[in-house]
């Protein structure tokens, strides 16, 4: 049976419908296999273009600001079309989204039932868009975008075309939802993986910090010194670790074998050291050479013991898995390394306190032994010899007593500096009778006195006087007395910054040798005794007047100015001196008179000295 023209048209329509449905389901199946959002969007547009057979198709999604923005296109001729973006409720897309149903216009530019957007209308002209069909992309009841099919000539869209594009949009919405879920899942997975990596890095850093802490603790328990701790820390952190004392002076520096860094100067650390001391936290600065210095204060309660410094090359700073840290590029070290440095200051503080406690105990014992020798001399008992020998000191060889004095610090503080020298010379040091005292063996007394003076002056940074006296027959007390009294004479003479023995001041031995004190009194009495008696009886000042007269080389005017008296008054006093000493006093033994006045003046000054 032959079919008529109507039958052939119906058969063709059924075949086309079957082909479209087959293509639709094949396309839907392929869409479900896609994962990336941009890939899904482009695939939707591509398949829609093939199914509908219009001049071009494009897909727009609703953004966070409510605007409808083109995300993918097929068949367009303008590169700027993908920049299309229309405000909410505008254009054909606005109607599609508002109604969640298909809409079309046979001539977009001439359409009056839609609100036009000037920017999009310019793109319409460039693209040559005339007829336009839009269907919504609905996910769980919410319109998230629209799929458009357009022609460059005026036409109407049939119901089967609208139904086909709507059905495709339905499948596309499912694929789009899956892509979004896939992207969200992958983002969450990436964030989870990133968090896991950060946890792993943190755990590795914590483990590394714990290992360093255990190593430092083990070094201390094993009898390690501050130098051992500094070296271990430098090997673990790299660069250089420096220990500074309370004044900011560098005590020691240790470099890492793998990544050495020069020991910084005190000027490089000054600013960071001050900030760390004030804040109590680790502070980092970078010098002109690009070397970073992280400084942490060493404190024990309210006591400031010094600081620990880690110096490292900023351009070489890397994290432990080999990747460069952004913080390092900006001169900031890893927080874990800074915490490690701060924890190391606690250990270093304990070591310093331990060393100070040992030193204090040694100083107390040294001072006690020194006092025993001084009080028990002359001679040395078997018990004293045994106690000094226990400290590896041979008391029989302690043949030089040195007494130090400085206006910069009290005797107790000065004695602490002498203890370091006592350890080096196997001697004893301490404070005895209010004077900083050192007892050592010496082969050259003058040289030893000069060396002790030089070391003390370098330590104090100012003048200090050191005087030594050789010990005879284990009589340390006599040697100490002579050295102390000679020191008073040195001060009276204005000699406050030198190291010497009492032999240098033998001329003044009458003043400081207690065994010759009667000789001093006889000489003074024989030379100026009548003047002293006259001053005591009459309350005059003839001795002081005559001393000033000789100091100013017998110049009457200069002497009067120095004494703040009139010349006539001075001349009357000199006449009175002539009555007391005799008229020929100016022509007698003038040298003996001047020496008597000088010795009397020095005796008065030394008697007033502590």
């Amino acid at each position: 049976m032959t079919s008529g023209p109507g039958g052939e048209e119906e058969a063709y329509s059924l075949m086309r419908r079957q082909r479209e449905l087959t293509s639709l389901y094949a396309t839907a199946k392929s869409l479900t296999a896609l994962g990336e959002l941009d890939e899904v969007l482009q695939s939707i547009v591509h398949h829609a273009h093939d199914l509908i057979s219009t001049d071009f198709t494009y897909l727009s999604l609703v953004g966070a600001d409510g605007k409808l923005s083109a995300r993918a296109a097929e068949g367009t001729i303008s590169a700027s079309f993908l920049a299309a973006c229309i405000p909410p409720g505008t254009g054909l897309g606005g109607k599609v989204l508002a109604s969640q149903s298909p809409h079309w216009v046979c001539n977009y530019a001439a359409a009056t039932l839609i609100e036009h957007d000037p920017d999009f209308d310019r793109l319409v002209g460039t693209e040559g868009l005339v007829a336009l069909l839009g269907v919504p992309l609905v996910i769980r009841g919410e319109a998230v975008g629209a799929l458009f099919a357009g022609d460059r000539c005026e036409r109407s869209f049939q119901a089967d075309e609208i139904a086909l594009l709507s059905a495709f949009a339905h499948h596309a919405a499912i694929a789009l939802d899956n892509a979004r879920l896939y992207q969200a899942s992958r983002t969450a997975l990436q964030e989870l993986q990133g968090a896991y990596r950060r946890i792993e890095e943190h755990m590795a850093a914590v483990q590394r910090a714990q290992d360093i802490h255990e190593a430092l603790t083990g070094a201390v328990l094993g009898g390690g010194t501050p130098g051992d701790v500094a070296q271990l820390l430098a090997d673990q952190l790299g660069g250089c670790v420096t220990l500074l004392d309370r004044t900011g002076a560098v005590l020691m520096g240790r470099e890492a074998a793998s990544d050495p860094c020069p020991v910084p100067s005190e000027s490089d650390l000054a600013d960071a050291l001050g900030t760390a001391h004030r804040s109590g936290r680790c502070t980092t600065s970078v010098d002109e050479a690009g070397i970073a210095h992280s400084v942490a204060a060493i404190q024990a309660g309210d006591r400031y013991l010094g600081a620990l410094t880690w110096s490292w090359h900023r351009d070489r700073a890397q994290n432990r898995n080999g990747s460069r840290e952004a913080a390092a590029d900006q001169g900031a070290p890893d927080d874990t390394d800074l915490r490690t440095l701060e924890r190391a200051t606690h250990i270093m503080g304990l070591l310093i306190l331990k060393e100070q406690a040992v030193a204090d105990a040694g100083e107390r014992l040294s001072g006690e032994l020194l006092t025993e020798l001084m009080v028990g001399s002359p001679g040395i008992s078997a018990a004293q010899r045994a106690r000094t020998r226990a400290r590896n000191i041979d008391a029989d060889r302690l043949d030089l007593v040195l007494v130090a004095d400085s206006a910069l610090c009290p005797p107790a503080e000065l004695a602490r500096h002498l203890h370091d020298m006592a350890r080096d010379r196997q001697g004893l040091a301490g404070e005895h009778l209010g004077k900083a005292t050192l007892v050592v063996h010496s082969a050259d007394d003058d040289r030893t006195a000069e060396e002790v003076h030089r070391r003390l002056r370098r330590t104090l940074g100012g003048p200090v006087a050191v005087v030594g006296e050789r010990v005879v027959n284990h009589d340390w007390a006599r040697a100490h007395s002579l050295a102390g009294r000679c020191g008073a004479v040195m001060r009276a003479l204005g000699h406050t910054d030198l190291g010497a023995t009492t032999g240098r001041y033998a001329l003044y031995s009458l003043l400081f040798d207690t065994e010759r004190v009667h000789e001093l009194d006889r000489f003074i009495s024989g030379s100026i005794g009548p003047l002293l008696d006259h001053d005591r009886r009459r309350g005059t000042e003839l001795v002081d007047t005559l001393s000033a007269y000789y100091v100013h080389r017998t110049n009457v005017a200069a002497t009067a100015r120095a004494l703040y008296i009139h010349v006539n008054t001075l001349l009357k006093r000199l006449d009175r001196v002539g009555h007391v000493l005799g008229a020929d006093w100016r022509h007698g033994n003038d040298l003996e008179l001047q020496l008597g006045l000088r010795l009397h003046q020095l005796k008065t000054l030394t008697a007033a000295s502590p």
Side-chain angles (χ1 to χ4, degrees), residues 424-610:
D424 296 341
R425 293 176 172 269
Q426 294 181 318
L428 296 172
E431 184 181 0
H432 182 65
L433 299 180
K435 294 180 174 63
T437 306
L438 175 65
V439 184
V440 294
H441 169 67
S442 173
D444 187 336
D445 295 350
D446 289 310
R447 183 176 179 180
T448 301
E450 292 171 359
E451 289 179 354
V452 171
H453 166 260
R454 188 161 48 249
R455 285 187 60 176
L456 281 177
R457 198 185 196 292
R458 184 169 57 249
T459 301
L460 298 178
V464 58
V466 177
V467 60
E469 169 67 15
R470 177 152 285 272
V471 178
V472 179
N473 297 325
H474 296 163
D475 197 348
W476 292 284
R478 182 178 184 277
H480 181 270
S481 175
L482 289 175
R485 291 171 65 86
C486 184
V489 173
M490 289 168 59
R491 289 194 301 273
L493 293 171
H495 301 169
T496 58
D497 190 18
L498 81 164
T501 61
T502 57
R504 179 171 175 177
Y505 292 88
L507 177 64
Y508 302 96
S509 60
L510 290 176
L511 292 167
F512 60 80
D513 191 343
T514 56
E515 294 181 356
R516 303 186 64 185
V517 64
H518 297 297
E519 298 178 26
L520 175 65
D521 291 340
R522 282 198 300 271
F523 182 82
I524 293 176
S525 178
S527 58
I528 62 171
L531 291 178
L532 291 171
D533 291 340
H534 187 276
D535 282 346
R536 279 195 296 270
R537 292 195 313 269
R538 303 291 182 87
T540 55
E541 299 178 358
L542 297 183
V543 172
D544 292 342
T545 300
L546 193 56
S547 296
Y549 181 65
Y550 281 121
V551 167
H552 291 86
R553 301 183 179 183
T554 67
N555 186 310
V556 174
T559 304
R561 285 195 298 271
L563 295 174
Y564 299 100
I565 60 176
H566 196 272
V567 172
N568 291 336
T569 304
L570 175 61
L571 292 175
K572 289 180 181 180
R573 290 185 183 182
L574 293 177
D575 288 340
R576 177 59 59 185
V577 170
H579 287 299
V580 175
L581 298 179
D584 60 343
W585 68 274
R586 298 174 189 267
H587 308 291
N589 193 348
D590 190 57
L591 177 61
E592 182 179 342
L593 182 60
Q594 291 188 48
L595 185 58
L597 289 169
R598 181 60 171 158
L599 288 176
H600 171 70
Q601 183 184 40
L602 291 175
K603 179 183 178 182
T604 303
L605 291 174
T606 53
S609 298

Side-chain angles (χ1 to χ4, degrees), residues 42 113 184 217 303 332 353 420 448 588:
Q42 190 59 47
L113 297 180
T217 304
R303 292 181 60 190
L353 290 176
D420 295 334
T448 301

Side-chain angles (χ1 to χ4, degrees), residues 37-50 54-61 69-85 120 123 127 129 132 137 146-150 152 168:
L37 179 59
D38 290 338
E39 184 182 358
V40 169
L41 295 178
Q42 190 59 47
S43 180
I44 290 172
V45 171
H46 174 72
H47 287 297
H49 187 259
D50 288 345
T54 52
D55 289 337
F56 62 89
T57 57
Y58 67 95
L59 184 147
S60 297
L61 294 180
S69 303
R71 295 288 301 274
E74 183 85 12
T76 56
I77 59 176
S78 172
S80 60
F81 191 81
L82 281 179
C85 179
F120 185 73
L123 291 175
E127 191 63 36
L129 186 153
L132 183 64
L137 296 173
L147 181 61
F148 297 94
R152 294 186 174 89
F168 182 81

Side-chain angles (χ1 to χ4, degrees), residues 68 86-99 148:
L68 193 61
I86 63 174
T90 305
L92 185 66
K95 295 188 66 174
V96 170
L97 293 177
S99 63
F148 297 94

Side-chain angles (χ1 to χ4, degrees), residues 311-389:
S311 302
W312 43 282
H313 295 281
R314 183 177 58 165
D315 57 349
R316 298 181 196 172
Q318 294 182 340
N319 59 16
R320 299 303 161 186
N321 62 11
S323 63
R324 185 175 299 275
E325 294 182 1
D329 292 335
Q330 300 172 1
D334 182 74
D335 286 342
T336 304
D337 290 338
L338 292 184
R339 302 292 83 77
T340 298
L341 182 65
E342 289 182 340
R343 282 192 291 269
T345 62
H346 303 159
I347 294 177
M348 193 67 78
L350 292 175
L351 275 180
I352 293 174
L353 290 176
K354 173 188 171 184
E355 289 190 342
Q356 288 184 353
V358 172
D360 290 342
E363 290 172 5
R364 284 194 298 272
L365 181 57
S366 177
E368 291 171 0
L369 288 175
L370 183 141
T371 300
E372 284 188 23
L373 293 181
M374 293 290 180
V375 173
S377 66
I380 179 172
S381 67
Q384 291 171 338
R385 185 174 281 109
R387 291 188 64 190
T388 53
R389 187 176 294 116

